[in-house]
């Protein structure tokens, strides 16, 4: 029998670290696949194929980021009810979230599939990579329901304090993905489309297995007939929390699309350098993202349990872990960026290698800013203030648009390298006072519920 776990008592640092570790391993697996996928495409299909995969990266993030954000948001009320030990409401929230996921994911898939060509034209995708980019994007969007359900089920399991089970399913998905990649590209010769098919199929299989495992192994999720009814009031609650969280990712992605469009206009070599550097950067961001996800569950459970003071203690513990990690990563990326880029391109591609290394050197210098962003944003979301967290995405979008419109035409790829760091600084400028506001408000709410006039 799988075990749920409460994080409402005990030392915060070891609790957060132990919860984060499986998330980190899972994210590293996911990014390892992404690295291998890009390496297979770049080495066996060439620079144009690598660029065609990267040309639509920000669009994929726009759509899948919205889906993943909604899934994470749907898990927050579940975590809060679990922390409050209100298991009946928790089960009903799970049931309604699955029904919402079905409706939303199919609608998103239909709309985005119809808009693929328009999106790529709008992004100034170079003509020599347009066809491959179109098929990659189309197949990815067809697979939106697979991605949506896999991430929702993983979010629900994490809300119960179990971050290990999603890791094992992700391990299975990653191994299957890599094997299918090799089969589709090297044996069936399906090219870039084969890479997308492998990803969609492996996520679909993992979603099905995750669903059956969740209901068979978690006794507190065993539902009565009354729990399975669609309840509009719970649907509104989930949408109120989940959609702003999804929109936060999408709003952030709009700025990324603008930045990538500006980069696409610089030519295929810059697109390839950007693609390789982004794959490497995302791999090393795994810890920061995992720490943030852990803080969402930690804050959700502790708010539900009426212990807001543990949220502040948790943020300090997470920040300490972040600083240690960022210091280690800075040493690695400053010393070995060029070596990592060689995973994707031949040593003769000196311009691409130099540009990708420049991108990584600038990015890693701002990782502490990004680490703080992840911790504060997810903590605010975990407390249920997803609309407030969404505005940090607006700050990021504004920063990236300014860089794309003003700086890239003047300074080219150098400006592209500063696009994300500028966005992180803008976001932190909003998130720091926002977190202080949320923390004080949580303390006030809990104090009133306890009848503690002095605290209020």
């Amino acid at each position: 029998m799988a075990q749920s776990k409460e994080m409402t008592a005990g030392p915060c640092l070891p609790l957060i670290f132990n919860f984060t570790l499986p998330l980190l391993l899972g994210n590293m697996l996911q990014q390892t696949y992404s690295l291998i996928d890009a390496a297979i495409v770049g080495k066996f299909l060439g620079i144009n194929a690598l660029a065609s995969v990267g040309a639509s990266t920000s669009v994929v993030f726009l759509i899948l980021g919205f889906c993943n954000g909604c899934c994470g948001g749907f898990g927050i009320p579940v975590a809060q009810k679990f922390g409050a030990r209100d298991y009946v409401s928790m089960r009903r929230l799970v049931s309604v979230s699955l029904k919402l996921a079905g409706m939303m994911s199919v609608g998103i898939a239909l709309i985005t599939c119809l808009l693929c060509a328009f999106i790529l034209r709008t992004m100034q995708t170079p003509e020599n990579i347009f066809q491959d980019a179109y098929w990659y994007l189309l197949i990815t969007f067809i697979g939106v329901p697979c991605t949506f359900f896999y991430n929702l089920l993983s979010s629900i399991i994490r809300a119960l304090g179990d971050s290990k089970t999603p890791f094992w399913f992700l391990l299975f998905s990653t191994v299957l993905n890599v094997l299918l990649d090799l089969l589709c590209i090297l044996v069936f010769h399906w090219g870039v489309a084969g890479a997308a098919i492998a990803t969609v199929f492996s996520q679909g299989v993992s979603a099905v297995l995750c669903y059956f495992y969740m209901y068979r192994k978690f006794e507190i999720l065993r539902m009565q007939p009354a729990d399975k009814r669609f309840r509009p009031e719970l649907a509104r609650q989930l949408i109120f929390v989940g959609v702003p969280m999804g929109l936060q990712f999408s709003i952030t992605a709009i700025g990324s699309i603008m930045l990538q469009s500006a980069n696409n206009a610089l030519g295929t070599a810059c697109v390839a350098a950007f693609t390789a550097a982004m794959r490497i950067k995302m791999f090393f961001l795994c810890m920061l993202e995992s720490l943030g996800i852990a803080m969402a569950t930690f804050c959700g459970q502790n708010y539900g349990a009426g212990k807001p003071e543990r949220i502040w203690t948790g943020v300090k513990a997470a920040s300490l872990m972040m600083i240690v990690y960022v210091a280690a990563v800075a040493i690695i990326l400053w010393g070995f960026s060029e070596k990592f880029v060689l995973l994707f391109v031949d040593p003769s591609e000196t311009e691409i290698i130099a540009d990708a290394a420049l991108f990584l050197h600038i990015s890693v210098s701002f990782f502490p800013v990004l680490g703080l962003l992840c911790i504060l944003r997810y903590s605010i979301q975990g407390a249920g203030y997803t609309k407030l967290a969404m505005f940090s995405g607006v700050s990021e979008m504004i920063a990236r648009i300014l860089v794309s419109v003003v700086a890239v035409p003047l300074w080219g790829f150098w400006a592209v390298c500063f696009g994300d760091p500028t966005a992180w600084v803008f976001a932190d400028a909003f998130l720091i006072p926002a977190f202080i506001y949320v923390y004080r408000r949580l303390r006030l709410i809990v104090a009133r519920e306890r009848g503690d006039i002095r605290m209020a």
Side-chain angles (χ1 to χ4, degrees):
M1 185 67 65
Q3 296 295 317
S4 54
K5 184 177 181 179
E6 295 183 2
M7 294 194 289
T8 56
C12 294
L13 196 150
L15 279 172
I16 295 171
F17 178 79
N18 290 333
F19 190 84
T20 301
L21 192 57
L23 292 174
L24 172 61
L25 294 174
N27 275 333
M28 288 179 69
L29 275 175
Q30 208 163 29
Q31 294 306 323
T32 297
Y33 158 70
S34 183
L35 286 170
I36 293 172
D37 177 58
I40 291 172
V41 170
K43 289 289 188 179
F44 291 101
L45 300 179
I47 294 301
N48 283 350
L50 178 64
S52 68
V53 171
S56 58
T57 299
S58 57
V59 181
V60 172
F61 178 63
L62 171 69
I63 304 303
L64 298 190
F66 175 78
C67 296
N68 296 347
C70 286
C71 293
F74 290 170
I76 287 171
V78 175
Q80 290 175 349
K81 295 301 181 184
F82 176 72
R85 301 187 179 181
D86 182 359
Y87 300 137
V88 173
S89 297
M90 182 193 72
R91 287 192 291 269
R92 292 175 179 178
L93 284 165
V94 169
S95 176
V96 173
S97 70
L98 291 171
K99 294 178 175 65
L100 282 176
M103 293 184 286
M104 292 176 66
S105 63
V106 171
I108 291 169
L110 288 173
I111 294 170
T112 52
C113 285
L114 294 173
L115 295 175
C116 282
F118 171 77
I119 291 169
L120 290 171
R121 294 289 185 199
T122 304
M123 292 182 65
Q124 306 179 69
T125 305
E127 198 61 41
N128 61 324
I129 63 174
F130 183 88
Q131 195 63 34
D132 278 345
Y134 172 80
W135 282 110
Y136 185 84
L137 198 59
L138 178 65
I139 295 167
T140 299
F141 287 161
I142 290 172
V144 162
C146 298
T147 303
F148 207 114
F149 273 98
Y150 172 75
N151 283 285
L152 174 60
L153 295 168
S154 296
S155 178
I156 291 169
I157 294 172
R158 285 195 299 267
L160 306 184
D162 177 8
S163 58
K164 293 180 181 178
T165 298
F167 164 74
W168 293 115
F169 282 107
L170 187 57
L171 175 61
F172 169 80
S173 176
T174 301
V175 173
L176 179 62
N177 213 329
V178 171
L179 293 176
L180 290 175
D181 241 354
L182 295 171
L183 180 68
C184 293
I185 292 175
L186 301 184
V187 178
F188 295 155
H189 303 291
W190 288 347
V192 169
I197 291 170
T199 300
V200 169
F201 185 81
S202 61
Q203 285 191 334
V205 171
S206 296
V208 171
L209 294 176
C210 198
Y211 176 82
F212 284 109
Y213 176 88
M214 186 177 77
Y215 279 108
R216 286 175 63 89
K217 298 296 183 180
F218 286 89
E219 189 172 344
I220 60 174
L221 291 178
R222 302 274 174 85
M223 296 191 184
Q224 302 299 320
D227 296 330
K228 297 179 182 179
R229 280 198 300 114
F230 184 81
R231 299 172 184 271
E233 69 279 7
L234 295 184
R236 285 192 294 271
Q237 181 183 350
L238 289 165
I239 290 171
F240 181 80
V241 176
V243 171
M245 197 163 168
L247 287 175
Q248 172 226 296
F249 283 95
S250 295
I251 291 168
T252 301
I254 291 171
S256 297
I257 289 172
M258 291 289 294
L259 186 63
Q260 186 160 23
S261 298
N263 185 61
N264 287 351
L266 299 178
T268 302
C270 287
V271 177
F274 182 83
T275 303
M278 283 296 290
R279 290 294 194 274
I280 297 166
K281 185 183 83 170
M282 293 306 296
F283 179 84
F284 285 101
L285 292 186
C286 287
M287 177 60 179
L288 305 181
E289 184 72 16
S290 300
L291 199 53
I293 295 171
M295 287 303 298
T297 300
F298 179 86
C299 293
Q301 286 194 13
N302 280 284
Y303 174 52
K307 298 180 178 180
E309 65 281 352
R310 285 178 59 82
I311 292 176
W312 173 240
T313 305
V315 166
K316 290 190 289 185
S319 298
L320 177 61
M321 286 187 274
M322 179 268 291
I323 292 169
V324 173
Y325 174 78
V326 166
V329 169
I331 295 170
I332 294 170
L333 283 182
W334 273 99
F336 302 100
S337 289
E338 291 84 356
K339 297 290 189 297
F340 289 127
V341 180
L342 291 175
L343 291 170
F344 307 94
V345 300
D346 291 326
S348 59
E349 302 285 354
T350 54
E351 179 187 356
I352 294 174
I353 294 170
D355 283 347
L358 174 67
F359 185 98
L360 291 170
H361 291 161
I362 293 172
S363 293
V364 75
S365 301
F366 288 85
F367 272 16
V369 179
L370 177 60
L372 184 61
L373 184 158
C374 291
I375 292 169
L376 296 182
R377 175 183 283 166
Y378 278 101
S379 296
I380 292 171
Q381 290 170 345
Y385 289 78
T386 54
K387 285 186 178 179
L388 189 60
M390 180 180 70
F391 286 110
S392 68
V394 175
S395 301
E396 289 190 68
M397 179 187 70
I398 292 170
R400 288 191 177 95
I401 290 175
L402 288 174
V403 171
S404 303
V405 174
V406 177
V408 174
L410 293 175
W411 296 295
F413 193 77
W414 264 90
V416 172
C417 296
F418 278 97
D420 285 343
T422 304
W424 302 337
V425 171
F426 271 53
D428 274 355
F430 175 85
L431 284 169
I432 292 171
F435 174 77
I436 294 171
Y437 165 79
V438 168
Y439 177 63
R440 288 176 176 173
R441 186 170 177 80
L442 294 182
R443 285 174 60 85
L444 181 64
I445 292 171
V446 172
R448 285 174 177 169
E449 290 174 352
R450 292 173 179 169
D452 190 341
I453 307 286
R454 289 171 303 171
M455 213 177 146

